[in-house]
Amino acid sequence: MNFATRKLIFALLIVSLYPLSLFARPYVLVLSQDDLLNTPNSPDDSPPADSTQNDSPEWDEFGDSGSPQSEEELDPGSWRPIFEPDPFRPDPANNPDERYYSTVSKLIKSVSSGDTTLMDDAVSEIEESASRGLPHARSVLGFLYATGQMRKQNKAKAFTYNYFASEGGNMQSKMALAYTYFRQDMFDKAVKLYSELAEAAVNSFLISKDSPVIEPVRIHNGAEENKEALRKSRGEEDEDFQILEYQAQKGNSAAMYKIGLFYYFGLRGLRRDHAKALSWFLKALEKGEPRAMELLGEIYARGAGVERNYTKALEWLTLAAKQELYSAYNGMGYLYVKGYGVEKKNYTKAKEYFEKAAENEDAGGHYNLGVMYLKGIGVKRDVKIACKYFIVAANAGQPKAFYQLGKMFHTGVGLKKNLPRATVLYKLVAERGPWNSLSRWALESYLKGDMGKAFFLYSRMAELGYEVAQSNAAWILDKYGERSMCIGESGFCTDAERHQRAHSLWWQASEQGNEHAALLIGDAYYYGQGTERDYERAAEAYKHARTQSNAQAMFNLGYMHEHGQGLPLDLHLAKRYYDQALEIDPAAKLPVTLALTSLWIRKNYADGFLVHVIDSLPEVYPKVEEWVDNVILEEGNATILTLFVCLLTVLYLRERQRRHAVAAPGGMAVPHHPNEHVAPAPL
């Protein structure tokens, strides 16, 4: 089949593992024929390699031939030892970074307790360590200067500290730098950093079975928390988990397998524990749960909690494949392409296993076939076919495929060089790196009611460019106020500092496509909250949210056109926006109906009594979301609004009666048409 002659138009979509309302909007990238390079493969492209020889290009996509790197190695300076202590950690007295961890622990304790004196001491210690050249201390100091905590906010100093921390190997500072360049559209610099971060991220992914990525959870859903969904992130304290654990202890094999998954991947608020995962998988297998075989193969291939043993890995994966667990074929193909646990490399067998996995809609199979065609391993090199497989894998949520597509856009191999697209794709993968554990600790703190610690951790993630963390930090500031333990230049934030910081965080989130953030930015400018009132900038923010088909933004724009606030007075455009709001969200029927009633009155009685009444009522038209959440869903409020409409009707009828009474004093007012001749009243 000649894939080069086909028109390739695919949508790339990140598949979330939780309801989309809890996370950032999925990123969608459409590739058309224009994105593809139509040049044939170069003459020196690799010919088909012998299926049993070792002289073909190496499967060196991420340098995975050596021992796997731990998350601590991939994320040096991580705060993991503070939040997830390891009993087998080396003696602190012999650890050169122990003072750094001790200081960061003191810093976190201070924001949790609200002890500004303790925080000042911790920041001074961090400054002293940074002056001695410790990269990780420089990274923390850059974060404090960027946010203005216990030191005057200074973006130049923040950049400098992050730059030298990045040069010293701190990956989180590298994330902060990359995001800084990204915001300024400096894609030539951003793409280089994000490519390095994305490569480190994929090194932490699993071999055959793609691991569920721990997405940063959005702790607000519009204006209210999604408490039921958040409850499921409480780990071992969650009632559902306790019921599942009880069932497992009673011998339920499916429950044993699920608990093993939770511990292996660190899902549902549980900490990763490979030893517990292995124990539960073995118990599940004894009870006849075949799905455990595939994970046991993965565990032995990775050496996760056990000594690495490729022979055992192949045995378990083979048994799993016989049970029609098709992603196991992908793992088997990987072992053959690397020559692990088998007599020698065999690309023909590897390709067969990858194809079996792909035929059964396994994203890893599509991805690995793409690698074979991209590198010419066991097949004739064909970047167009490789691109086709990567797109299918990416559409199924395979993060490594996003990395490869980003690389193709970056280098101009197979796809036309496009640095902005490459940067975005790399960023998506980079945000799945080990530093993503910050979201787990922040959520744990939030669920335990420790707002100071939660806000501090979300602020750290926000600096690294995570949109969900930016939204969460801003939301905590807005909802919890002083309880957020927001630290300013010299102690707790003033109201002005808190509003300004929330405004800055919402603005960053809106830049990354968060329509709720764009609406709040519009509200801030409209009402002058945390900034000067500016109707024109409010309208710009609402227009940004409108581009994402947001009914609330359309309603607000209609209101501004109706009243000539920041936008030209235009009743026709106002009606169009109101109608669009109703088309997008039927739940907006009540506020839109009231708005259209107001428009009708304004058109027909421009200088009438009712128009003045309407204009004098403050906040007549709340935002659509507030109407839906706080009005429509409450029967009592809906009744009040119905009475309000009735009141307007009564006022209208009484005003009409008054005017007619004035027109015909001493008698009944007689309705008449404007052009109808009216006899003068008798003297």
Side-chain angles (χ1 to χ4, degrees):
M1 184 179 294
N2 185 0
F3 293 98
T5 59
R6 285 188 173 185
K7 184 176 182 180
L8 302 179
I9 302 179
F10 297 94
L12 302 188
L13 173 64
I14 291 181
V15 179
S16 298
L17 298 170
Y18 301 91
L20 285 178
S21 63
L22 290 179
F23 303 106
R25 295 170 62 88
Y27 176 75
V28 179
L29 172 65
V30 177
L31 300 186
S32 68
Q33 185 69 30
D34 292 338
D35 295 308
L36 298 171
L37 289 177
N38 295 318
T39 55
N41 295 324
S42 58
D44 61 344
D45 282 343
S46 305
D50 188 284
S51 64
T52 59
Q53 292 184 2
N54 298 327
D55 56 357
S56 64
E58 187 62 40
W59 186 280
D60 58 352
E61 50 170 334
F62 305 119
D64 56 2
S65 58
S67 299
Q69 292 179 286
S70 67
E71 293 191 353
E72 287 75 11
E73 292 172 316
L74 291 169
D75 185 19
S78 165
W79 296 349
R80 186 179 304 278
I82 299 171
F83 290 95
E84 300 179 16
D86 184 355
F88 302 104
R89 189 178 172 203
D91 185 356
N94 300 322
N95 187 346
D97 292 335
E98 186 57 33
R99 184 177 179 185
Y100 159 74
Y101 286 114
S102 175
T103 303
V104 174
S105 296
K106 184 187 295 186
L107 180 64
I108 292 171
K109 182 180 179 181
S110 70
V111 297
S112 182
S113 63
D115 189 339
T116 56
T117 301
L118 183 63
M119 185 175 192
D120 197 28
D121 290 343
V123 174
S124 296
E125 290 179 16
I126 289 171
E127 284 182 323
E128 194 275 329
S129 296
S131 67
R132 291 188 288 106
L134 183 64
H136 310 324
R138 287 175 170 174
S139 179
V140 176
L141 196 56
F143 162 57
L144 296 176
Y145 272 112
T147 52
Q149 300 184 65
M150 299 306 291
R151 297 293 182 270
K152 185 176 181 179
Q153 188 179 45
N154 190 317
K155 296 293 185 181
K157 282 188 176 182
F159 180 87
T160 302
Y161 279 119
N162 276 321
Y163 177 83
F164 285 108
S166 173
E167 291 291 301
N170 188 281
M171 301 299 278
Q172 294 188 33
S173 277
K174 188 170 288 189
M175 281 284 288
L177 279 180
Y179 178 58
T180 299
Y181 290 133
F182 177 71
R183 288 192 71 193
Q184 299 176 28
D185 294 338
M186 299 172 67
F187 297 112
D188 55 333
K189 293 185 177 181
V191 75
K192 182 179 183 298
L193 292 174
Y194 274 130
S195 67
E196 296 171 6
L197 290 158
E199 184 171 345
V202 295
N203 268 313
S204 66
F205 298 161
L206 302 184
I207 294 174
S208 61
K209 188 172 182 62
D210 183 38
S211 61
V213 175
I214 308 303
E215 298 275 4
V217 176
R218 195 181 299 285
I219 62 176
H220 65 92
N221 182 16
E224 296 295 326
E225 300 165 86
N226 192 330
K227 297 182 185 293
E228 178 62 23
L230 291 176
R231 182 185 62 78
K232 295 181 179 179
S233 299
R234 292 184 181 273
E236 295 176 347
E237 297 178 5
D238 177 35
E239 183 180 338
D240 289 348
F241 176 81
Q242 293 171 357
I243 294 173
L244 187 68
E245 188 176 38
Y246 175 80
Q247 293 174 337
Q249 291 170 348
K250 290 295 183 180
N252 185 309
S253 61
M256 293 174 178
Y257 173 72
K258 284 185 179 179
I259 290 179
L261 280 178
F262 291 167
Y263 278 116
Y264 187 62
F265 293 121
L267 302 176
R268 297 288 293 270
L270 294 173
R271 297 286 174 83
R272 281 187 182 179
D273 191 323
H274 292 149
K276 284 186 178 180
L278 177 61
S279 174
W280 282 112
F281 286 144
L282 289 172
K283 290 178 181 179
L285 189 62
E286 289 176 2
K287 292 292 184 178
E289 176 53 71
R291 291 177 293 176
M293 298 175 183
E294 184 180 6
L295 271 298
L296 286 170
E298 184 71 47
I299 284 173
Y300 279 106
R302 293 287 290 179
V306 297
E307 184 178 350
R308 177 180 278 188
N309 189 321
Y310 290 118
T311 302
K312 281 190 175 182
L314 182 61
E315 290 174 359
W316 284 119
L317 289 170
T318 302
L319 289 172
K322 290 179 180 179
Q323 296 293 325
E324 297 185 349
L325 299 169
Y326 298 112
S327 60
Y329 282 121
N330 188 45
M332 294 167 66
Y334 178 84
L335 295 177
Y336 273 104
V337 85
K338 294 293 292 186
Y340 294 159
V342 296
E343 292 184 5
K344 55 185 176 181
K345 295 179 182 179
N346 190 319
Y347 299 133
T348 299
K349 276 193 173 183
K351 183 171 179 287
E352 288 175 0
Y353 286 132
F354 290 150
E355 287 175 337
K356 284 184 179 180
E359 287 168 4
N360 289 279
E361 300 183 356
D362 180 75
H366 287 285
Y367 169 76
N368 285 324
L369 285 171
V371 174
M372 294 191 82
Y373 279 100
L374 179 66
K375 295 180 177 292
I377 298 176
V379 296
K380 180 177 176 59
R381 183 172 185 266
D382 192 319
V383 292
K384 291 189 181 297
I385 295 180
C387 184
K388 175 255 184 184
Y389 280 121
F390 288 146
I391 289 173
V392 174
N395 196 47
Q398 189 12 293
K400 289 183 180 180
F402 284 102
Y403 173 81
Q404 291 290 6
L405 288 168
K407 197 171 182 178
M408 295 173 86
F409 275 123
H410 185 188
T411 60
V413 174
L415 294 170
K416 292 180 181 178
K417 194 168 184 177
N418 188 322
L419 294 187
R421 280 191 174 182
T423 303
V424 171
L425 289 169
Y426 281 148
K427 183 176 185 287
L428 289 170
V429 181
E431 289 181 351
R432 295 170 173 237
W435 36 89
N436 189 39
S437 294
L438 285 163
S439 64
R440 182 201 305 276
W441 308 326
L443 181 61
E444 286 179 0
S445 302
Y446 174 77
L447 293 174
K448 291 177 180 177
D450 192 339
M451 296 305 155
K453 188 185 294 184
F455 173 68
F456 186 77
L457 294 172
Y458 279 132
S459 296
R460 174 61 164 164
M461 287 191 76
E463 188 203 14
L464 307 187
Y466 287 85
E467 179 274 314
V468 177
Q470 292 163 351
S471 301
N472 287 348
W475 188 77
I476 289 175
L477 284 173
D478 286 343
K479 183 174 180 65
Y480 293 96
E482 293 181 357
R483 282 187 59 200
S484 67
M485 299 296 181
C486 173
I487 303 297
E489 292 182 18
S490 55
F492 289 113
C493 291
T494 63
D495 288 343
E497 284 179 318
R498 197 162 54 246
H499 279 305
Q500 184 56 42
R501 192 171 298 180
H503 180 82
S504 176
L505 288 164
W506 283 126
W507 186 261
Q508 292 176 59
S510 71
E511 288 178 341
Q512 300 198 74
N514 185 324
E515 62 185 46
H516 180 67
L519 286 167
L520 290 177
I521 289 295
D523 291 347
Y525 280 121
Y526 187 88
Y527 297 109
Q529 296 173 343
T531 185
E532 292 184 6
R533 177 172 289 188
D534 189 326
Y535 289 137
E536 291 184 359
R537 299 187 80 173
E540 289 176 6
Y542 291 144
K543 285 180 179 179
H544 179 69
R546 171 187 171 270
T547 60
Q548 300 173 18
S549 299
N550 185 277
Q552 184 175 326
M554 293 175 181
F555 184 91
N556 292 352
L557 288 168
Y559 181 83
M560 296 181 79
H561 269 301
E562 180 183 350
H563 294 83
Q565 295 176 330
L567 293 171
L569 178 65
D570 191 322
L571 301 186
H572 294 289
L573 272 179
K575 183 179 186 305
R576 183 182 303 173
Y577 278 123
Y578 289 144
D579 290 339
Q580 288 177 354
L582 187 57
E583 289 175 8
I584 295 296
D585 187 359
K589 184 175 182 179
L590 180 56
V592 168
T593 299
L594 290 173
L596 292 176
T597 301
S598 171
L599 273 181
W600 182 85
I601 294 172
R602 199 176 295 278
K603 284 183 180 179
N604 292 277
Y605 301 95
D607 298 320
F609 169 72
L610 279 179
V611 173
H612 295 297
V613 169
I614 292 172
D615 287 341
S616 67
L617 292 174
E619 315 299 333
V620 171
Y621 305 115
K623 299 179 297 181
V624 169
E625 185 174 61
E626 292 173 346
W627 282 86
V628 173
D629 291 339
N630 303 326
V631 177
I632 297 177
L633 299 182
E634 295 184 21
E635 184 177 354
N637 285 349
T639 302
I640 292 173
L641 287 173
T642 302
L643 293 174
F644 176 74
V645 174
C646 293
L647 175 61
L648 285 179
T649 304
V650 171
L651 288 172
Y652 166 71
L653 293 175
R654 291 193 64 179
E655 170 66 7
R656 181 182 178 188
Q657 183 180 23
R658 185 188 66 80
R659 288 186 176 183
H660 289 170
V662 171
M668 291 288 294
V670 181
H672 62 272
H673 296 286
N675 296 326
E676 185 179 355
H677 174 72
V678 180
L683 297 176

